[in-house]
Coordinates of all heavy atoms in Angstrom, one line a residue:
M1290 N -19.0 -0.8 127.5 CA -17.5 -0.7 127.7 C -17.2 0.7 128.3 O -17.8 1.7 128.0 CB -16.8 -0.9 126.4 CG -16.9 -2.4 126.0 SD -15.6 -2.8 124.8 CE -16.2 -1.9 123.3
T1291 N -16.2 0.7 129.1 CA -15.7 2.0 129.7 C -14.3 2.2 129.4 O -13.4 1.4 129.6 CB -15.9 1.9 131.3 OG1 -17.2 1.5 131.6 CG2 -15.6 3.2 131.9
R1292 N -14.0 3.5 129.0 CA -12.6 3.9 128.7 C -12.2 4.7 129.9 O -12.8 5.7 130.2 CB -12.6 4.7 127.4 CG -11.3 5.2 126.9 CD -11.4 5.8 125.6 NE -10.2 6.3 125.0 CZ -9.8 7.6 125.0 NH1 -10.5 8.5 125.6 NH2 -8.6 7.9 124.5
T1293 N -11.1 4.3 130.5 CA -10.7 4.9 131.7 C -9.2 5.4 131.6 O -8.3 4.7 131.1 CB -10.7 3.8 132.9 OG1 -12.0 3.3 132.9 CG2 -10.4 4.4 134.2
L1294 N -9.0 6.6 132.1 CA -7.6 7.1 132.2 C -6.9 6.5 133.4 O -7.4 6.5 134.5 CB -7.7 8.6 132.4 CG -6.3 9.3 132.6 CD1 -5.4 9.2 131.4 CD2 -6.6 10.8 133.0
V1295 N -5.8 5.8 133.1 CA -5.1 5.1 134.2 C -3.7 5.6 134.5 O -3.0 5.1 135.4 CB -5.0 3.6 133.8 CG1 -6.4 3.0 133.8 CG2 -4.3 3.3 132.5
G1296 N -3.2 6.6 133.8 CA -1.9 7.2 134.1 C -1.3 7.7 132.8 O -2.0 7.9 131.8
T1297 N 0.0 7.9 132.9 CA 0.8 8.4 131.7 C 1.9 7.4 131.5 O 2.3 6.7 132.4 CB 1.3 9.8 131.9 OG1 2.3 9.8 132.9 CG2 0.2 10.8 132.2
I1298 N 2.4 7.5 130.2 CA 3.5 6.5 129.9 C 4.7 6.7 130.7 O 5.4 5.8 131.0 CB 3.8 6.7 128.4 CG1 4.6 5.5 127.9 CG2 4.5 8.0 128.0 CD1 4.6 5.3 126.4
S1299 N 4.9 7.9 131.2 CA 6.1 8.1 132.1 C 6.0 7.5 133.5 O 7.0 7.4 134.2 CB 6.4 9.6 132.2 OG 5.3 10.3 132.8
D1300 N 4.8 7.0 133.8 CA 4.6 6.4 135.1 C 5.2 4.9 135.1 O 5.3 4.3 136.1 CB 3.1 6.2 135.4 CG 2.4 7.6 135.6 OD1 3.1 8.5 136.0 OD2 1.2 7.6 135.4
I1301 N 5.4 4.4 133.9 CA 5.9 3.0 133.8 C 7.3 2.9 133.2 O 7.5 3.5 132.1 CB 4.9 2.2 132.9 CG1 3.4 2.4 133.4 CG2 5.2 0.7 133.0 CD1 2.4 1.8 132.5
D1302 N 8.2 2.3 133.8 CA 9.5 2.1 133.2 C 9.4 1.2 132.0 O 8.5 0.3 132.0 CB 10.5 1.5 134.3 CG 10.7 2.4 135.4 OD1 10.7 3.6 135.2 OD2 11.0 1.9 136.5
R1303 N 10.3 1.3 131.1 CA 10.4 0.3 130.0 C 10.6 -1.1 130.6 O 11.4 -1.2 131.5 CB 11.5 0.7 129.0 CG 11.2 1.9 128.2 CD 12.1 1.9 126.9 NE 11.7 3.0 126.1 CZ 12.2 4.2 126.0 NH1 13.3 4.5 126.8 NH2 11.7 5.1 125.2
K1304 N 9.9 -2.0 130.1 CA 9.9 -3.4 130.5 C 9.4 -3.5 132.0 O 9.7 -4.5 132.6 CB 11.3 -4.0 130.4 CG 11.8 -4.0 128.9 CD 13.2 -4.6 128.8 CE 13.2 -6.1 128.7 NZ 14.5 -6.6 128.4
G1305 N 8.6 -2.5 132.4 CA 8.0 -2.5 133.7 C 6.5 -2.6 133.6 O 5.9 -2.8 132.5
S1306 N 5.9 -2.5 134.8 CA 4.4 -2.7 134.8 C 3.8 -1.8 135.9 O 4.5 -1.4 136.8 CB 4.0 -4.2 135.0 OG 4.4 -4.6 136.3
R1307 N 2.5 -1.6 135.8 CA 1.7 -1.0 136.9 C 0.4 -1.8 137.0 O 0.0 -2.4 136.0 CB 1.3 0.4 136.5 CG 2.5 1.4 136.5 CD 3.0 1.8 137.9 NE 1.9 2.5 138.6 CZ 1.8 3.9 138.7 NH1 2.7 4.6 138.1 NH2 0.9 4.4 139.4
T1308 N -0.2 -1.8 138.1 CA -1.5 -2.5 138.2 C -2.6 -1.5 138.7 O -2.3 -0.5 139.3 CB -1.4 -3.7 139.2 OG1 -1.1 -3.1 140.5 CG2 -0.4 -4.7 138.8
F1309 N -3.8 -1.8 138.4 CA -5.0 -1.0 138.9 C -6.2 -1.9 138.9 O -6.2 -3.0 138.2 CB -5.2 0.2 138.0 CG -5.5 0.0 136.6 CD1 -6.8 0.0 136.2 CD2 -4.5 -0.3 135.7 CE1 -7.2 -0.3 134.9 CE2 -4.8 -0.6 134.3 CZ -6.2 -0.5 133.9
M1310 N -7.1 -1.6 139.7 CA -8.4 -2.3 139.9 C -9.5 -1.7 139.0 O -9.7 -0.5 139.0 CB -8.8 -2.4 141.3 CG -7.9 -3.2 142.2 SD -7.8 -4.9 141.9 CE -9.5 -5.5 142.3
V1311 N -10.3 -2.6 138.4 CA -11.5 -2.2 137.8 C -12.6 -3.2 138.3 O -12.5 -4.4 138.0 CB -11.5 -2.2 136.3 CG1 -12.8 -1.9 135.7 CG2 -10.4 -1.2 135.7
N1312 N -13.5 -2.6 139.0 CA -14.5 -3.5 139.7 C -13.7 -4.5 140.5 O -12.9 -4.2 141.4 CB -15.5 -4.1 138.7 CG -16.3 -3.1 138.0 OD1 -16.6 -2.0 138.5 ND2 -16.5 -3.3 136.7
D1313 N -13.9 -5.8 140.3 CA -13.1 -6.8 141.1 C -12.0 -7.4 140.3 O -11.4 -8.4 140.7 CB -14.1 -8.0 141.5 CG -15.1 -7.5 142.5 OD1 -14.8 -6.5 143.3 OD2 -16.2 -8.1 142.6
T1314 N -11.6 -6.8 139.2 CA -10.5 -7.3 138.4 C -9.3 -6.5 138.5 O -9.3 -5.3 138.3 CB -11.0 -7.4 136.9 OG1 -12.2 -8.2 136.8 CG2 -9.9 -8.0 136.0
Q1315 N -8.1 -7.2 138.7 CA -6.9 -6.4 138.7 C -6.3 -6.5 137.3 O -6.1 -7.6 136.8 CB -5.9 -7.0 139.8 CG -4.7 -6.1 139.9 CD -3.8 -6.5 141.1 OE1 -3.4 -7.7 141.1 NE2 -3.5 -5.6 142.0
I1316 N -5.9 -5.4 136.8 CA -5.4 -5.2 135.4 C -3.9 -4.9 135.6 O -3.5 -4.1 136.4 CB -6.0 -4.1 134.7 CG1 -7.6 -4.2 134.7 CG2 -5.5 -4.0 133.2 CD1 -8.2 -5.4 134.1
A1317 N -3.1 -5.5 134.7 CA -1.6 -5.2 134.7 C -1.4 -4.5 133.4 O -1.7 -5.0 132.3 CB -0.8 -6.5 134.8
L1318 N -0.7 -3.4 133.5 CA -0.3 -2.6 132.3 C 1.2 -2.8 132.1 O 2.0 -2.7 133.1 CB -0.5 -1.1 132.5 CG -1.7 -0.4 132.2 CD1 -1.5 1.1 132.5 CD2 -2.1 -0.6 130.7
F1319 N 1.6 -3.1 130.9 CA 3.1 -3.3 130.7 C 3.5 -2.3 129.6 O 2.8 -2.1 128.6 CB 3.3 -4.8 130.1 CG 3.0 -5.8 131.1 CD1 1.8 -6.4 131.2 CD2 4.0 -6.2 132.0 CE1 1.5 -7.4 132.1 CE2 3.7 -7.2 133.0 CZ 2.5 -7.8 133.0
R1320 N 4.7 -1.8 129.8 CA 5.4 -1.0 128.8 C 6.5 -1.8 128.2 O 7.5 -2.1 128.9 CB 5.9 0.3 129.4 CG 6.6 1.2 128.5 CD 7.0 2.5 129.1 NE 7.8 3.4 128.3 CZ 8.3 4.5 128.6 NH1 8.1 5.0 129.9 NH2 9.0 5.2 127.8
L1321 N 6.5 -2.1 126.9 CA 7.5 -2.8 126.3 C 8.7 -1.9 126.0 O 8.6 -0.7 126.1 CB 7.0 -3.4 125.0 CG 5.7 -4.3 125.1 CD1 5.4 -4.9 123.7 CD2 5.8 -5.3 126.1
S1322 N 9.8 -2.5 125.5 CA 11.0 -1.7 125.2 C 10.8 -0.8 124.1 O 11.5 0.2 123.9 CB 12.2 -2.7 125.0 OG 11.9 -3.6 124.0
N1323 N 9.8 -1.1 123.2 CA 9.5 -0.2 122.1 C 8.4 0.9 122.4 O 7.9 1.6 121.6 CB 9.1 -1.0 120.8 CG 7.7 -1.7 121.0 OD1 7.1 -1.6 122.1 ND2 7.3 -2.4 120.0
D1324 N 8.1 0.9 123.7 CA 7.1 1.9 124.3 C 5.7 1.5 124.0 O 4.8 2.3 124.4 CB 7.4 3.3 123.9 CG 8.6 3.9 124.5 OD1 9.0 3.4 125.6 OD2 9.2 4.8 124.0
D1325 N 5.4 0.3 123.4 CA 4.0 -0.1 123.3 C 3.5 -0.3 124.7 O 4.3 -0.8 125.6 CB 3.9 -1.4 122.5 CG 3.9 -1.2 121.0 OD1 3.9 -0.1 120.6 OD2 4.0 -2.3 120.3
I1326 N 2.2 0.0 125.0 CA 1.6 -0.3 126.3 C 0.5 -1.3 126.1 O -0.3 -1.2 125.2 CB 1.0 1.0 126.8 CG1 2.0 2.1 127.0 CG2 0.3 0.7 128.2 CD1 3.0 2.0 128.1
L1327 N 0.6 -2.4 126.8 CA -0.4 -3.5 126.7 C -1.0 -3.8 128.1 O -0.3 -3.7 129.1 CB 0.3 -4.7 126.1 CG 0.9 -4.5 124.7 CD1 1.8 -5.7 124.3 CD2 -0.2 -4.3 123.7
A1328 N -2.2 -4.3 128.0 CA -2.9 -4.6 129.3 C -3.5 -6.0 129.3 O -4.2 -6.4 128.3 CB -4.0 -3.5 129.5
V1329 N -3.3 -6.7 130.4 CA -4.0 -8.0 130.5 C -4.5 -8.1 132.0 O -4.0 -7.4 132.8 CB -3.0 -9.2 130.3 CG1 -2.4 -9.1 128.9 CG2 -1.8 -9.2 131.3
E1330 N -5.3 -9.1 132.2 CA -5.7 -9.4 133.6 C -4.4 -9.9 134.3 O -3.6 -10.7 133.8 CB -6.8 -10.5 133.7 CG -7.3 -10.7 135.1 CD -8.4 -11.7 135.2 OE1 -9.0 -12.1 134.2 OE2 -8.8 -12.0 136.3
N1331 N -4.3 -9.4 135.6 CA -3.0 -9.7 136.3 C -3.1 -11.0 137.0 O -3.0 -11.1 138.3 CB -2.8 -8.6 137.3 CG -1.4 -8.7 137.9 OD1 -0.5 -9.2 137.3 ND2 -1.2 -8.1 139.1
K1332 N -3.4 -12.1 136.3 CA -3.7 -13.4 136.9 C -3.3 -14.5 135.9 O -4.0 -14.6 134.9 CB -5.1 -13.5 137.3 CG -5.5 -14.7 138.1 CD -7.0 -14.6 138.5 CE -7.4 -15.8 139.2 NZ -8.8 -15.8 139.5
C1333 N -2.2 -15.2 136.2 CA -1.8 -16.2 135.3 C -2.9 -17.3 135.2 O -3.4 -17.7 136.2 CB -0.5 -16.8 135.8 SG 0.1 -18.2 134.8
P1334 N -3.1 -17.8 134.0 CA -4.2 -18.9 133.8 C -3.7 -20.2 134.4 O -4.5 -21.1 134.5 CB -4.4 -18.9 132.3 CG -3.2 -18.3 131.7 CD -2.6 -17.4 132.7
H1335 N -2.5 -20.4 134.8 CA -2.0 -21.6 135.4 C -2.5 -21.7 136.8 O -3.5 -22.4 137.1 CB -0.5 -21.7 135.3 CG 0.1 -23.0 135.9 ND1 1.3 -23.0 136.5 CD2 -0.4 -24.2 135.9 CE1 1.5 -24.2 136.9 NE2 0.5 -25.0 136.6
K1336 N -1.8 -21.0 137.7 CA -2.2 -21.0 139.1 C -2.4 -19.6 139.7 O -2.2 -19.5 141.0 CB -1.3 -21.9 139.9 CG -1.4 -23.4 139.5 CD -0.6 -24.3 140.5 CE -0.8 -25.7 140.0 NZ -0.1 -26.7 140.9
G1337 N -2.7 -18.6 138.9 CA -3.0 -17.3 139.4 C -1.9 -16.4 139.8 O -2.1 -15.4 140.5
G1338 N -0.7 -16.7 139.3 CA 0.5 -15.8 139.6 C 0.2 -14.4 139.2 O -0.5 -14.2 138.2
A1339 N 0.8 -13.5 139.9 CA 0.7 -12.1 139.5 C 1.7 -11.8 138.3 O 2.9 -11.6 138.5 CB 1.1 -11.2 140.7
L1340 N 1.1 -11.6 137.1 CA 1.9 -11.4 135.9 C 2.7 -10.1 136.0 O 3.8 -10.0 135.4 CB 1.0 -11.4 134.7 CG 0.3 -12.8 134.5 CD1 -0.6 -12.7 133.3 CD2 1.3 -13.9 134.3
S1341 N 2.2 -9.1 136.7 CA 2.9 -7.9 136.9 C 4.2 -8.0 137.5 O 5.1 -7.1 137.4 CB 2.0 -6.9 137.7 OG 1.8 -7.4 139.0
E1342 N 4.5 -9.1 138.2 CA 5.7 -9.4 138.9 C 6.7 -10.2 138.0 O 7.8 -10.6 138.5 CB 5.5 -10.1 140.3 CG 4.7 -9.1 141.2 CD 4.3 -9.8 142.5 OE1 4.8 -10.9 142.8 OE2 3.4 -9.3 143.2
G1343 N 6.2 -10.6 136.8 CA 7.0 -11.4 135.9 C 8.0 -10.5 135.1 O 8.2 -9.3 135.3
M1344 N 8.7 -11.2 134.2 CA 9.8 -10.6 133.4 C 9.2 -10.4 132.0 O 8.8 -11.3 131.4 CB 11.0 -11.4 133.4 CG 12.2 -10.8 132.7 SD 13.7 -11.8 132.9 CE 13.3 -13.3 132.2
V1345 N 9.4 -9.1 131.5 CA 9.0 -8.8 130.1 C 10.1 -9.2 129.2 O 11.2 -8.8 129.4 CB 8.6 -7.3 130.0 CG1 8.3 -7.0 128.5 CG2 7.4 -7.0 130.9
C1346 N 9.8 -10.0 128.2 CA 10.8 -10.4 127.2 C 10.1 -10.2 125.8 O 9.2 -10.9 125.5 CB 11.2 -11.9 127.3 SG 12.2 -12.2 128.8
G1347 N 10.6 -9.2 125.1 CA 9.9 -8.8 123.9 C 8.5 -8.4 124.2 O 8.2 -7.5 125.0
S1348 N 7.5 -9.1 123.5 CA 6.1 -8.8 123.8 C 5.5 -10.0 124.7 O 4.3 -10.1 124.7 CB 5.3 -8.6 122.6 OG 5.4 -9.7 121.7
K1349 N 6.3 -10.7 125.4 CA 5.8 -11.8 126.2 C 6.1 -11.4 127.7 O 7.1 -10.8 128.0 CB 6.5 -13.1 125.9 CG 6.0 -13.7 124.6 CD 6.5 -15.1 124.4 CE 5.9 -15.8 123.2 NZ 6.3 -15.2 121.9
I1350 N 5.3 -12.0 128.6 CA 5.5 -11.9 130.0 C 5.8 -13.3 130.5 O 5.1 -14.2 130.1 CB 4.4 -11.2 130.8 CG1 4.7 -11.1 132.3 CG2 3.0 -12.0 130.6 CD1 5.7 -10.1 132.6
H1351 N 6.9 -13.5 131.3 CA 7.2 -14.7 131.9 C 6.6 -14.7 133.3 O 7.0 -13.9 134.1 CB 8.7 -15.0 132.0 CG 9.4 -15.1 130.7 ND1 10.4 -16.0 130.5 CD2 9.1 -14.6 129.4 CE1 10.8 -15.9 129.2 NE2 10.0 -15.1 128.6
C1352 N 5.7 -15.6 133.6 CA 5.0 -15.7 134.9 C 6.1 -15.9 136.0 O 7.0 -16.8 135.8 CB 4.0 -16.8 134.9 SG 3.2 -16.9 136.6
P1353 N 6.0 -15.2 137.1 CA 7.1 -15.3 138.1 C 7.0 -16.7 138.9 O 8.0 -17.0 139.5 CB 6.8 -14.2 139.0 CG 5.4 -13.9 138.9 CD 5.1 -14.2 137.4
L1354 N 5.9 -17.4 138.8 CA 5.8 -18.6 139.6 C 6.4 -19.8 138.9 O 7.2 -20.5 139.5 CB 4.3 -18.9 140.0 CG 3.7 -17.8 140.9 CD1 2.4 -18.3 141.4 CD2 4.6 -17.5 142.1
H1355 N 6.0 -20.1 137.7 CA 6.4 -21.3 137.0 C 6.9 -21.1 135.6 O 6.9 -22.0 134.8 CB 5.3 -22.4 137.0 CG 4.6 -22.6 138.4 ND1 3.4 -22.0 138.7 CD2 5.0 -23.2 139.5 CE1 3.1 -22.3 139.9 NE2 4.1 -23.0 140.5
D1356 N 7.1 -19.8 135.3 CA 7.7 -19.4 134.0 C 6.9 -19.7 132.7 O 7.4 -19.9 131.7 CB 9.1 -20.1 133.8 CG 10.0 -19.3 132.8 OD1 9.9 -18.1 132.8 OD2 10.7 -20.0 132.1
W1357 N 5.6 -19.9 132.9 CA 4.7 -19.9 131.7 C 5.0 -18.6 130.9 O 5.1 -17.5 131.6 CB 3.3 -20.1 132.0 CG 2.8 -21.5 132.3 CD1 3.6 -22.5 132.7 CD2 1.5 -22.0 132.2 NE1 2.8 -23.6 132.9 CE2 1.6 -23.3 132.6 CE3 0.3 -21.4 131.8 CZ2 0.4 -24.1 132.5 CZ3 -0.9 -22.2 131.8 CH2 -0.8 -23.6 132.2
R1358 N 4.9 -18.6 129.6 CA 5.1 -17.4 128.8 C 3.8 -17.1 128.1 O 3.2 -17.9 127.4 CB 6.3 -17.7 127.8 CG 7.5 -17.9 128.6 CD 8.6 -18.8 127.9 NE 9.6 -19.1 128.9 CZ 10.8 -19.3 128.6 NH1 11.3 -19.3 127.4 NH2 11.7 -19.7 129.6
I1359 N 3.5 -15.8 128.2 CA 2.2 -15.3 127.7 C 2.4 -14.2 126.8 O 3.1 -13.2 127.2 CB 1.3 -15.0 128.9 CG1 1.0 -16.2 129.8 CG2 0.0 -14.3 128.4 CD1 0.4 -15.9 131.1
D1360 N 1.8 -14.3 125.6 CA 1.9 -13.2 124.6 C 1.0 -12.0 125.1 O -0.2 -12.2 125.3 CB 1.4 -13.7 123.3 CG 1.5 -12.7 122.2 OD1 1.0 -11.5 122.3 OD2 2.1 -13.0 121.1
L1361 N 1.6 -10.9 125.3 CA 0.8 -9.7 125.8 C -0.2 -9.1 124.8 O -1.1 -8.4 125.2 CB 1.7 -8.7 126.4 CG 2.5 -9.1 127.7 CD1 3.6 -8.1 128.0 CD2 1.5 -9.2 128.8
H1362 N 0.0 -9.4 123.5 CA -0.9 -8.9 122.5 C -2.2 -9.8 122.5 O -3.3 -9.2 122.5 CB -0.2 -8.9 121.1 CG 0.8 -7.9 120.9 ND1 0.5 -6.6 120.7 CD2 2.2 -8.0 120.9 CE1 1.6 -5.9 120.6 NE2 2.7 -6.7 120.7
S1363 N -2.0 -11.1 122.4 CA -3.2 -12.0 122.3 C -3.6 -12.6 123.6 O -4.8 -13.0 123.7 CB -2.8 -13.1 121.3 OG -1.8 -14.0 122.0
G1364 N -2.8 -12.6 124.6 CA -3.1 -13.2 125.9 C -2.9 -14.7 125.8 O -3.1 -15.4 126.8
A1365 N -2.4 -15.3 124.7 CA -2.2 -16.7 124.6 C -1.0 -17.2 125.3 O 0.1 -16.5 125.2 CB -2.2 -17.1 123.1
V1366 N -1.1 -18.3 125.9 CA 0.0 -19.0 126.6 C 0.8 -19.7 125.5 O 0.3 -20.3 124.6 CB -0.5 -20.0 127.6 CG1 0.6 -20.9 128.1 CG2 -1.2 -19.3 128.7
Q1367 N 2.1 -19.6 125.6 CA 3.0 -20.2 124.6 C 3.0 -21.7 124.9 O 3.1 -22.2 126.0 CB 4.4 -19.6 124.8 CG 5.5 -20.2 123.8 CD 6.8 -19.6 124.0 OE1 6.9 -18.4 123.8 NE2 7.8 -20.3 124.4
E1368 N 3.0 -22.5 123.8 CA 3.1 -24.0 123.9 C 4.5 -24.4 124.4 O 5.4 -23.6 124.2 CB 2.8 -24.6 122.5 CG 1.4 -24.4 122.1 CD 1.1 -25.2 120.8 OE1 2.0 -25.9 120.3 OE2 -0.1 -25.2 120.4
P1369 N 4.6 -25.5 125.1 CA 3.7 -26.6 125.2 C 2.6 -26.4 126.3 O 1.8 -27.2 126.5 CB 4.6 -27.7 125.6 CG 5.6 -27.1 126.4 CD 5.9 -25.8 125.8
D1370 N 2.6 -25.2 127.0 CA 1.5 -25.0 127.9 C 0.3 -24.4 127.2 O 0.4 -24.0 126.0 CB 2.0 -24.0 129.0 CG 3.2 -24.5 129.7 OD1 3.2 -25.7 130.2 OD2 4.3 -23.8 129.7
H1371 N -0.9 -24.4 127.9 CA -2.1 -24.0 127.2 C -2.9 -23.0 128.1 O -2.9 -23.2 129.3 CB -3.0 -25.2 126.9 CG -2.3 -26.2 126.0 ND1 -2.2 -26.0 124.6 CD2 -1.6 -27.3 126.2 CE1 -1.5 -27.0 124.1 NE2 -1.2 -27.8 125.0
G1372 N -3.6 -22.1 127.5 CA -4.5 -21.2 128.2 C -4.4 -19.9 127.6 O -3.8 -19.6 126.6
C1373 N -5.2 -19.0 128.2 CA -5.3 -17.6 127.7 C -5.7 -16.7 128.8 O -6.4 -17.1 129.7 CB -6.3 -17.6 126.6 SG -6.2 -16.1 125.6
V1374 N -5.1 -15.5 128.8 CA -5.5 -14.5 129.8 C -6.2 -13.3 129.1 O -5.9 -13.0 127.9 CB -4.2 -14.0 130.5 CG1 -3.3 -13.3 129.6 CG2 -4.5 -13.1 131.7
P1375 N -7.3 -12.8 129.7 CA -8.0 -11.7 129.0 C -7.1 -10.5 128.7 O -6.2 -10.1 129.6 CB -9.1 -11.3 130.0 CG -9.2 -12.5 130.9 CD -7.9 -13.1 131.0
T1376 N -7.2 -9.9 127.6 CA -6.5 -8.7 127.2 C -7.5 -7.5 127.1 O -8.7 -7.7 126.9 CB -5.8 -8.9 125.8 OG1 -6.8 -9.1 124.8 CG2 -4.8 -10.0 125.9
Y1377 N -6.9 -6.3 127.1 CA -7.8 -5.1 127.1 C -7.2 -4.1 126.1 O -6.0 -4.0 125.9 CB -7.9 -4.5 128.5 CG -8.4 -5.5 129.5 CD1 -7.5 -6.2 130.3 CD2 -9.8 -5.7 129.7 CE1 -8.0 -7.2 131.2 CE2 -10.3 -6.6 130.5 CZ -9.4 -7.3 131.3 OH -9.9 -8.3 132.2
V1378 N -8.1 -3.3 125.5 CA -7.7 -2.3 124.5 C -7.0 -1.1 125.3 O -7.6 -0.6 126.2 CB -8.9 -1.8 123.7 CG1 -8.5 -0.7 122.8 CG2 -9.5 -3.0 122.9
V1379 N -5.9 -0.7 124.8 CA -5.2 0.4 125.3 C -4.9 1.4 124.3 O -4.6 1.1 123.1 CB -3.8 -0.1 125.9 CG1 -3.0 1.1 126.4 CG2 -3.9 -1.1 127.0
D1380 N -5.1 2.7 124.6 CA -4.7 3.7 123.6 C -3.9 4.8 124.4 O -4.2 5.1 125.6 CB -5.8 4.3 122.7 CG -6.9 4.8 123.5 OD1 -7.7 4.1 124.1 OD2 -7.0 6.1 123.6
V1381 N -2.9 5.4 123.8 CA -2.1 6.4 124.4 C -2.2 7.6 123.6 O -2.0 7.6 122.4 CB -0.6 5.9 124.4 CG1 0.3 6.9 125.1 CG2 -0.5 4.5 125.2
D1382 N -2.5 8.7 124.3 CA -2.5 10.1 123.6 C -1.1 10.4 123.2 O -0.2 10.5 124.1 CB -3.1 11.1 124.6 CG -3.3 12.4 123.9 OD1 -2.3 13.0 123.4 OD2 -4.4 13.0 124.0
P1383 N -0.8 10.6 121.9 CA 0.6 10.9 121.5 C 1.1 12.2 122.0 O 2.3 12.4 122.1 CB 0.5 10.9 120.0 CG -0.9 11.1 119.7 CD -1.7 10.6 120.8
D1384 N 0.3 13.2 122.4 CA 0.7 14.5 122.9 C 1.0 14.4 124.4 O 2.1 14.8 124.8 CB -0.3 15.5 122.5 CG -0.5 15.7 121.0 OD1 0.5 15.6 120.3 OD2 -1.6 15.8 120.6
S1385 N 0.0 14.0 125.1 CA 0.2 14.0 126.6 C 0.8 12.8 127.2 O 1.3 12.8 128.3 CB -1.2 14.2 127.2 OG -2.0 13.1 127.0
G1386 N 0.8 11.7 126.4 CA 1.2 10.4 127.0 C 0.2 9.7 127.9 O 0.5 8.7 128.5
S1387 N -1.0 10.3 127.9 CA -2.0 9.7 128.8 C -2.4 8.3 128.3 O -2.5 8.1 127.1 CB -3.3 10.6 128.8 OG -2.9 11.8 129.4
I1388 N -2.6 7.4 129.2 CA -2.9 6.0 128.8 C -4.4 5.8 129.2 O -4.8 6.0 130.4 CB -2.1 5.0 129.6 CG1 -0.6 5.2 129.3 CG2 -2.5 3.6 129.3 CD1 0.3 4.4 130.3
Y1389 N -5.2 5.2 128.3 CA -6.6 4.9 128.5 C -6.7 3.4 128.2 O -6.2 2.8 127.3 CB -7.5 5.6 127.5 CG -7.4 7.1 127.7 CD1 -6.5 7.9 127.0 CD2 -8.3 7.8 128.5 CE1 -6.4 9.3 127.1 CE2 -8.2 9.2 128.7 CZ -7.3 9.9 128.0 OH -7.2 11.3 128.1
V1390 N -7.5 2.8 129.1 CA -7.8 1.3 129.0 C -9.3 1.2 128.8 O -10.1 1.8 129.6 CB -7.3 0.5 130.2 CG1 -7.7 -0.9 130.0 CG2 -5.8 0.6 130.2
T1391 N -9.7 0.4 127.9 CA -11.2 0.2 127.7 C -11.5 -1.2 128.2 O -10.9 -2.2 127.8 CB -11.5 0.2 126.2 OG1 -11.2 1.5 125.7 CG2 -13.0 0.0 126.0
I1392 N -12.4 -1.2 129.2 CA -12.7 -2.5 129.9 C -14.1 -2.9 129.4 O -15.1 -2.1 129.5 CB -12.7 -2.3 131.4 CG1 -11.4 -1.8 131.9 CG2 -13.1 -3.6 132.1 CD1 -10.2 -2.7 131.7
Ligands
FES2186 S1 1.0 -19.6 138.1 FE1 1.9 -18.7 136.3 S2 3.1 -20.4 135.5 FE2 2.2 -21.2 137.3

């Protein structure tokens, strides 16, 4: 596993996102309204929509294509739909605000 510095918390607006590539995988980082930072693969398990372009509601992301709702903590799709998106460990340095993602 690799722990990578991907930016600082001030780089992401509340309820916003940023994306970055690791090898061939695009990762989406989300900043919730409570300042939690969460990371998932930027690919909806339905038809591959870019989750980073969706709407953050609480700790869920609404896919911009067909409105599937995905829990950003677990990666689980909300019923009645089914599926799961990979999630990644994120830690934030409380002093500097630096964000690290472990892939
Ligand atoms: S591609 Fe995300 S809901 Fe269809």
Side-chain angles (χ1 to χ4, degrees):
M1290 289 199 288
T1291 305
R1292 183 175 180 260
T1293 304
L1294 174 65
V1295 295
T1297 65
I1298 194 164
S1299 60
D1300 295 335
I1301 312 174
D1302 294 333
R1303 287 198 173 100
K1304 301 176 83 173
S1306 68
R1307 293 282 298 260
T1308 61
F1309 63 98
M1310 292 295 295
V1311 176
N1312 300 324
D1313 290 334
T1314 302
Q1315 189 171 55
I1316 310 294
L1318 270 183
F1319 295 92
R1320 180 177 174 182
L1321 306 186
S1322 55
N1323 67 1
D1324 289 337
D1325 281 353
I1326 304 287
L1327 300 170
V1329 301
E1330 184 175 354
N1331 191 27
K1332 187 176 178 185
C1333 179
H1335 180 216
K1336 293 192 175 179
L1340 297 176
S1341 60
E1342 296 173 13
M1344 183 171 63
V1345 174
C1346 291
S1348 60
K1349 290 188 170 68
I1350 183 71
H1351 292 215
C1352 179
L1354 294 190
H1355 314 98
D1356 201 37
W1357 278 24
R1358 294 155 193 209
I1359 298 167
D1360 185 307
L1361 291 169
H1362 288 284
S1363 67
V1366 172
Q1367 179 178 302
E1368 292 189 0
D1370 302 305
H1371 299 282
C1373 196
V1374 64
T1376 62
Y1377 302 95
V1378 173
V1379 176
D1380 58 287
V1381 180
D1382 184 306
D1384 297 321
S1385 67
S1387 296
I1388 301 168
Y1389 298 88
V1390 176
T1391 300
I1392 306 293

